[in-house]
Amino acid sequence: MTKSFDVVVIGAGPGGYVAAIRSAQLGLKVCCVDDFKDHNGNSSLGGTCLNVGCIPSKAMLESSENYEKAAHKFDEHGINIRGITVDIPTMLERKDKIVSQFTGGIGILFKKNKVTSIHGRGRFAAKTSSGYEIEVVNGEVRETIHGVNVIVATGSLPRPLPGLEVDNELVCDNVGALSFSKVPKRLGVIGAGVIGLEMGSVWKRLGSDVTILEAMPEFLNLVDRSVAKEAKRAFTQSLGLKIFTGVNIKDVRVRKKSVEVLYEDSESEQKIVFDKLVVSIGRIPNSANIGAENVGLIIDEKGVIPVDEKNCTNLDGVYAIGDVVRGPMLAHKSSEEGVAVAETISGQHGHVNLDTIPWVIYTSPEIAWVGRTEQDLKESGVSYKIGQFPFSVSGRARAIGETGGFVKMIADATSDKILGVHIIGPYASELITEAVVAMEFEATAEDIARIVHAHPSLSEAIHEAALGVDGRYLSL
Ligand code: FAD
Ligand code: NAI
């Protein structure tokens, strides 16, 4: 007999597993179907984020930053280390252990919350009078389950460079870039986006000569211009990444042990030879082969599943969340949509405010922001005021030894409401939450200026930026 569930979730990434757990907590009978396999061919819950994304990349960023600090920054503290070396196998082992602890943890959470977990590829097979039939295929094994509601959380895949095959040996996507068995001497990266900068930083710190080739003429064009400018200075001058913008990749030739990249910039054609090449030119929604045609689920020409503000698709009882829908491709955005949809299905009022999703780039210095950029406000004709405070004047930043960067707060010129906060500097990933909370509560810069911030703390830079919106800096 076909097993029937109140909710079938397709995909167990941070969108899907959270949607499944929250639905079960709300008393619904839930099944989560996922097809991800780790490098040993074993099923592994957690999607891109836990297996080959957020978690392993942050583990490698931490390890490589520790190495760099020990090698180049401890001496100023009077700590002298001689003969420091890097042990890549141990570094990778640590990363893999963190990943398996988390992916295994999802299985435990599923059991605790009574979520049925099925390994296999799910697709819509048919519409029924009370919901949808989902066919799940795992090798030779096929089964059909029934869901009154279906949540599509199938995530995203790396965008391919036309004509170039990723083998994860010489030409890599995020999967290969997280697992080089030794430090490549010459590493090429196509795309100076989030993955390119994070993975480029990891391998540069560990000793690679890293060249990043970016198609857009402007560096980090999504980011506030003043932050992007500071970031480019830090990444090229302090870290030593070679970043070329406005390039047109003409050809990539894969040799036996190297990769040749031919590109054109504004002046001439260039050729660079690398030992490894990472292609990180964005991600595309993973919506192919989910049986959309069997039930009439609309998918647009870019593979995005169109949804409304409640993540409802064009079909009754079918929702889509995370990387497969509009909005930023971020784990926390996917998870919050998962919670909201579970609550909507249960008759509550699930809601996600896409205007206050924080972004973080985990480079050194870190970059984090929420809300609108100055260039965006300028283009929209909104009048605004700015407070900008450098970490070089922060006592805590000096003690940590991370004095580069600043906090920039942008507020509406008339109402003083905070419109955006942009941080480049130490622990920006943690600091940004104050700005997110402030914006969720529709705070003004004056509200933040009147709140006591601990001394000495990095958060004082946010306080000063808020004071600066009204020209009242205390330390500048
Ligand atoms: P996914 O995590 O992609 O999960 C989808 C799951 O569904 C996968 O397990 C997939 O195998 C499965 N699936 C797909 N189709 C089917 C099917 N038909 N049947 C069964 N299963 C299916 N975001 C952050 O917020 N912070 C970060 O620091 C960060 N770092 C990143 C680093 C890297 C290198 C990468 C690549 C991404 C990073 N991201 C980060 C982005 C983040 O990983 C994604 O936004 C997030 O994983 C999206 O979650 P999701 O649940 O929508 O999809
Ligand atoms: P991205 O969208 O961040 O950057 C891709 C870059 O490649 C862009 O700058 C783009 O202009 C460039 N590009 C595109 N085509 C090109 C070409 N043919 N030649 C040269 N450059 C080209 O995408 P990325 O880095 O692949 O990451 C994908 C997504 O994963 C991110 O957008 C983000 O949503 C998520 N992510 C989030 C992280 C975080 O939150 N810290 C970390 C890593 C990934």
Side-chain angles (χ1 to χ4, degrees), residues 108-223:
I108 296 169
L109 287 173
F110 275 181
K111 278 205 184 91
K112 183 178 156 206
N113 287 285
K114 300 192 173 53
V115 172
T116 301
S117 177
I118 303 182
H119 180 78
R121 189 156 182 85
R123 61 192 274 278
F124 287 96
K127 166 116 189 65
T128 69
S129 56
S130 59
Y132 299 87
E133 275 183 3
I134 305 294
E135 184 189 55
V136 185
V137 179
N138 179 15
E140 299 298 304
V141 185
R142 255 165 218 273
E143 72 174 301
T144 300
I145 56 176
H146 182 266
V148 178
N149 298 281
V150 180
I151 304 175
V152 182
T154 47
S156 62
L157 297 168
R159 180 190 303 285
L161 192 67
L164 180 62
E165 201 180 312
V166 167
D167 59 8
N168 276 327
E169 285 295 331
L170 288 175
V171 179
C172 304
D173 57 21
N174 55 302
V175 177
L178 284 160
S179 294
F180 297 152
S181 56
K182 58 180 199 214
V183 179
K185 234 172 154 185
R186 299 160 301 178
L187 176 64
V189 179
I190 302 184
V194 198
I195 295 180
L197 292 171
E198 289 189 355
M199 296 320 299
S201 298
V202 165
W203 295 106
K204 173 67 195 160
R205 289 169 189 160
L206 296 174
S208 290
D209 179 11
V210 180
T211 303
I212 308 185
L213 302 171
E214 165 61 42
M216 298 299 283
E218 269 191 303
F219 177 62
L220 278 180
N221 71 339
L222 198 70
V223 172

Side-chain angles (χ1 to χ4, degrees), residues 14 27 59 126 156 177 216 219 264 266 278 339 380 399:
S156 62
M216 298 299 283
F219 177 62
E264 204 175 52
S266 57
V278 174
V339 169
S380 319

